[in-house]
């Protein structure tokens, strides 16, 4: 990246969970899920949802899973499958039948056909939690209007359904859409348990930070969290100039401010000159306390684009049930990070490290790119990565960058400019990649005793 003669120019460092994982903090979905098995998962509806997609083979719980995969599953569930699960639960209650074959042959589906593999996974959810049993009278009557059947013939479809397929594999689908209002209390139940999931995660992450401490030697000896020590070294390898660096942090921790305070106490070189820091999705309880912030909520959620649904007339409208699950809405309601920070003022270089560039966070990248006018300005983008595992991380990252920039290009007002955005950045030397090797770990090891 090029240094600038503008003394007011700043860097923007965007980091995701890969930064924490590089410091050996066990912040992955897989590590959390192992802990969560005995610490809240059993009574949380989202635990059942994640198991549901795992059974379908649509969610891997190995170390390769990213948090973006979990939030993608949340989006799929909330925008589609919650209706299927709610419908089949109500139908079971109406029919008073637990015979799987009968249920399958007379199965009703709110959105279309459902294959047997997904149906089998749905069955496993029927007794997952007492929270999913209660339905009020209005809901039952509303569903009967759609799924009315002749009790004498038992398996005859309702007047609002048509048969799909041939015996013995008959399925039914609605000819009319079941109104979302029928499932409103289901969204409320999952909304409450999403908050419980977030509370469980902040407890877990605070525990992970505190369980490992390091004795480090500067001008004085000091005991600090291993995470803070490693982060203080890694951060200096990500930036290659002396400009002030603002940080857009998609993690729930803030080791940078902690390190600044320790360095000041030690009268030591803090490394990077850190400006404003924004924890996009909130802070854990411990980090909120250390930053003197009253609230300590972390946020999981879906991208804003998922709250828009199409009506029968083709009009696109906001679904209130989905809107409350969006990250923007939840951040507005639940988090209180440092206010009024002008993170993007005078930024001429953006560094990315450890972020999966997933669709759930596209809105943030679009807002950043729009504000900095990356097509017409001189802003440079540097995507950094570390090699781990057997897969080539450069190939993975470059594919994600191409997808991100094409997605952003599609959102631009000028269609032709949007199509050539990536080529323009490459030709002007404003799109680069940088490998971060493991030498910083040796530097860290030399500092501990």
């Amino acid at each position: 990246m090029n240094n600038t003669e503008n003394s007011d120019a700043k860097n923007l460092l965007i980091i995701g969970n890969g930064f924490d994982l590089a410091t050996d903090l066990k912040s992955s979905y897989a590590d959390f899920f192992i802990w969560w098995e005995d610490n809240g998962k059993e009574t949380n509806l989202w635990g059942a949802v994640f198991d549901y997609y795992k059974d379908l083979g649509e969610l891997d719980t190995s170390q390769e899973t990213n948090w973006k995969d979990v939030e993608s599953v949340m989006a799929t569930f909330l925008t589609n499958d919650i209706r299927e699960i709610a419908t089949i639960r109500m139908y079971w209650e109406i029919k008073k039948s637990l015979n799987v074959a009968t249920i399958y042959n007379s199965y009703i589906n709110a959105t279309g056909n459902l294959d047997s593999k997904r149906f089998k996974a749905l069955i496993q959810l029927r007794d997952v939690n007492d929270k999913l049993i209660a339905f009020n009278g209005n809901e039952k009557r509303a569903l009967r209007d759609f799924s009315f059947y002749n009790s004498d013939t038992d398996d005859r479809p309702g007047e609002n359904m048509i048969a799909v397929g041939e015996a013995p594999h008959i399925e039914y689908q609605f000819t009319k859409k079941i109104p979302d209002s029928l499932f409103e209390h289901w969204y409320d139940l999952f909304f409450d348990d999403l908050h419980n999931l977030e509370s469980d995660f902040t407890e877990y992450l605070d525990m992970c930070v505190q369980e490992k401490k390091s004795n480090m030697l500067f001008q004085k000896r000091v005991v600090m969290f291993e995470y803070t020590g490693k982060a203080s070294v890694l951060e200096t390898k990500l930036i290659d100039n002396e400009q002030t660096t603002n940080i857009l942090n998609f993690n729930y921790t803030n080791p940078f401010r902690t390190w600044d305070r320790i360095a000041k106490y030690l009268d030591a070189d803090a490394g990077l000159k850190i400006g404003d820091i924004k924890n996009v999705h909130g802070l854990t309880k411990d980090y909120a306390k250390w930053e003197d912030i009253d609230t300590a909520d972390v946020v999981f959620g879906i991208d804003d684009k998922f709250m828009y649904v199409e009506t029968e007339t083709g009009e696109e409208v906001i679904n209130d049930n989905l809107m409350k699950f969006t990250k923007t809405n939840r951040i507005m309601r639940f988090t209180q990070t440092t206010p009024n920070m002008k993170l993007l003022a005078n930024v001429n270089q953006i560094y990315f490290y450890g972020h999966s560039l997933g669709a759930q966070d596209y809105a943030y990248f679009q807002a950043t790119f729009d504000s900095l006018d990356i097509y017409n300005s001189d802003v440079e983008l540097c995507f950094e990565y570390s090699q781990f595992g057997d897969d080539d991380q450069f190939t993975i990252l470059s594919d994600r960058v191409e997808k991100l920039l094409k997605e952003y290009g599609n959102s631009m007002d000028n269609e032709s400019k949007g199509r050539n955005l990536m080529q323009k950045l490459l030709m002007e030397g404003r799109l680069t990649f940088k490998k971060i090797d493991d030498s910083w770990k040796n530097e860290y090891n030399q500092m501990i005793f």
Side-chain angles (χ1 to χ4, degrees):
M1 307 293 280
N2 297 323
N3 290 327
T4 177
E5 296 179 359
N6 183 356
S7 60
D8 294 328
K10 294 180 180 179
N11 307 307
L12 177 66
L13 173 61
I14 298 177
I15 60 171
N17 192 44
F19 180 95
D20 283 355
L21 293 176
T23 68
D24 299 317
L25 186 67
K26 293 184 177 296
S27 57
S28 70
Y29 165 75
D31 288 323
F32 167 68
F33 206 85
I34 292 172
W35 176 86
W36 200 39
E37 285 283 351
D38 299 319
N39 294 275
K41 175 176 175 283
E42 185 177 349
T43 59
N44 192 299
L45 296 177
W46 287 103
V49 170
F50 298 149
D51 282 348
Y52 163 51
Y53 288 100
K54 178 183 177 183
D55 291 340
L56 289 176
E58 296 177 10
L59 179 64
D60 183 14
T61 55
S62 73
Q63 294 292 340
E64 300 303 316
T65 302
N66 293 304
W67 277 107
K68 75 175 179 68
D69 301 317
V70 178
E71 292 180 326
S72 177
V73 157
M74 289 172 56
T76 299
F77 175 75
L78 291 169
T79 57
N80 183 40
D81 290 347
I82 188 173
R83 295 169 56 86
E84 295 175 351
I85 294 172
T87 299
I88 201 169
R89 281 289 307 186
M90 290 188 212
Y91 192 54
W92 280 329
E93 188 161 298
I94 291 170
K95 281 189 66 85
K96 303 298 183 184
S97 171
L98 292 179
N99 183 290
V100 172
T102 300
I103 295 170
Y104 184 77
N105 286 335
S106 56
Y107 173 63
I108 55 177
N109 178 3
T111 55
N113 298 328
L114 199 67
D115 62 36
S116 58
K117 184 179 180 182
R118 185 177 294 277
F119 180 84
K120 181 179 179 182
L122 284 172
I123 290 175
Q124 297 175 16
L125 277 175
R126 66 183 176 187
D127 295 321
V128 68
N129 198 295
D130 289 343
K131 299 174 184 176
L132 299 186
I133 294 177
F135 301 101
N136 63 43
N138 288 335
E139 290 170 332
K140 292 179 182 178
R141 284 192 294 273
L143 190 63
R144 285 193 182 99
D145 290 341
F146 281 88
S147 62
F148 179 81
Y149 65 96
N150 188 319
S151 59
D152 293 333
T153 58
D154 191 51
D155 286 340
R156 182 178 298 173
E159 60 185 15
N160 294 307
M161 290 186 291
I162 59 172
V164 179
E166 299 179 356
H169 303 296
I170 297 176
E171 295 179 356
Y172 296 97
Q173 69 180 58
F174 287 127
T175 57
K176 296 181 180 179
K177 180 182 178 182
I178 295 182
D180 287 332
S181 59
L182 190 61
F183 308 112
E184 282 184 357
H185 94 280
W186 273 61
Y187 286 102
D188 291 339
L189 291 172
F190 280 94
F191 185 78
D192 291 341
D193 265 2
L194 180 57
H195 199 55
N196 292 331
L197 165 62
E198 292 161 342
S199 296
D200 290 342
F201 181 70
T202 189
E203 177 185 347
Y204 167 76
L205 198 56
D206 280 337
M207 178 192 70
C208 289
V209 171
Q210 295 186 50
E211 68 181 359
K212 290 184 179 181
K213 295 182 173 63
S214 299
N215 295 298
M216 301 188 71
L217 181 61
F218 299 92
Q219 289 87 337
K220 305 175 185 177
R221 293 185 177 187
V222 65
V223 178
M224 71 173 71
F225 298 133
E226 178 185 287
Y227 171 58
T228 303
K230 288 184 175 180
S232 70
V233 180
L234 175 57
E235 68 178 18
T236 64
K237 306 303 175 185
L238 302 179
I239 306 297
D240 54 9
N241 62 54
E242 297 181 357
Q243 295 179 174
T244 295
T245 298
N246 294 339
I247 300 176
L248 187 62
N249 190 348
F250 284 83
N251 300 325
Y252 308 99
T253 55
N254 188 355
F256 311 103
R257 290 288 184 233
T258 305
W259 168 239
D260 278 352
R261 287 191 289 268
I262 293 174
K264 185 176 181 180
Y265 163 75
L266 296 171
D267 194 25
D269 181 9
L272 291 184
K273 183 180 179 182
I274 302 295
D276 289 325
I277 301 175
K278 176 72 172 179
N279 283 80
V280 178
H281 299 147
L283 288 163
T284 67
K285 290 180 180 179
D286 282 351
Y287 277 97
K289 178 178 65 179
W290 296 331
E291 298 300 318
D292 292 325
I293 294 175
D294 293 335
T295 56
D297 292 283
V298 304
V299 168
F300 299 143
I302 62 177
D303 190 74
D304 288 4
K305 67 182 180 182
F306 292 108
M307 68 179 172
Y308 296 97
V309 297
E310 190 172 297
T311 66
E312 293 180 357
T313 62
E315 181 185 5
E316 194 172 63
V317 298
I318 292 176
N319 182 308
D320 291 339
N321 288 322
L322 296 175
M323 182 175 69
K324 64 186 179 184
F325 287 95
T326 64
K327 286 184 175 180
T328 300
N329 186 272
R330 293 179 62 72
I331 289 170
M332 219 167 28
R333 295 177 61 175
F334 294 129
T335 66
Q336 182 188 328
T337 50
T338 307
N340 300 322
M341 294 189 308
K342 296 182 179 179
L343 219 67
L344 304 180
N346 298 318
V347 165
N348 68 345
Q349 301 187 19
I350 309 177
Y351 297 81
F352 299 78
Y353 182 78
H355 197 294
S356 60
L357 309 180
Q360 304 307 321
D361 291 325
Y362 274 178
Y364 299 104
F365 298 128
Q366 180 175 345
T368 299
F369 294 162
D370 281 348
S371 179
L372 296 176
D373 190 14
I374 63 169
Y375 188 92
N376 295 305
S377 69
D378 294 327
V379 172
E380 301 178 11
L381 282 63
C382 180
F383 293 88
E384 302 176 305
Y385 67 97
S386 296
Q387 179 58 42
F388 60 90
D390 297 330
D391 297 327
D392 181 12
Q393 295 304 312
F394 170 73
T395 300
I396 294 173
L397 178 60
S398 59
D399 287 345
R400 290 175 177 174
V401 170
E402 182 175 6
K403 182 178 180 181
L404 171 65
L405 293 177
K406 285 184 176 179
E407 186 83 13
Y408 175 67
N410 290 336
S411 73
M412 295 175 62
D413 294 335
N414 188 313
E415 186 176 335
S416 61
K417 285 186 176 180
R419 283 198 299 266
N420 69 23
L421 171 64
M422 189 168 179
Q423 288 82 356
K424 184 175 189 291
L425 292 172
L426 286 168
M427 288 177 59
E428 295 176 357
R430 295 195 289 124
L431 173 61
T432 58
F433 294 83
K434 177 182 175 183
K435 182 179 179 180
I436 306 298
D437 61 37
D438 289 338
S439 60
W440 69 269
K441 294 183 178 180
N442 295 329
E443 292 184 32
Y444 168 78
N445 290 331
Q446 293 173 7
M447 297 166 65
I448 62 175
F449 65 94

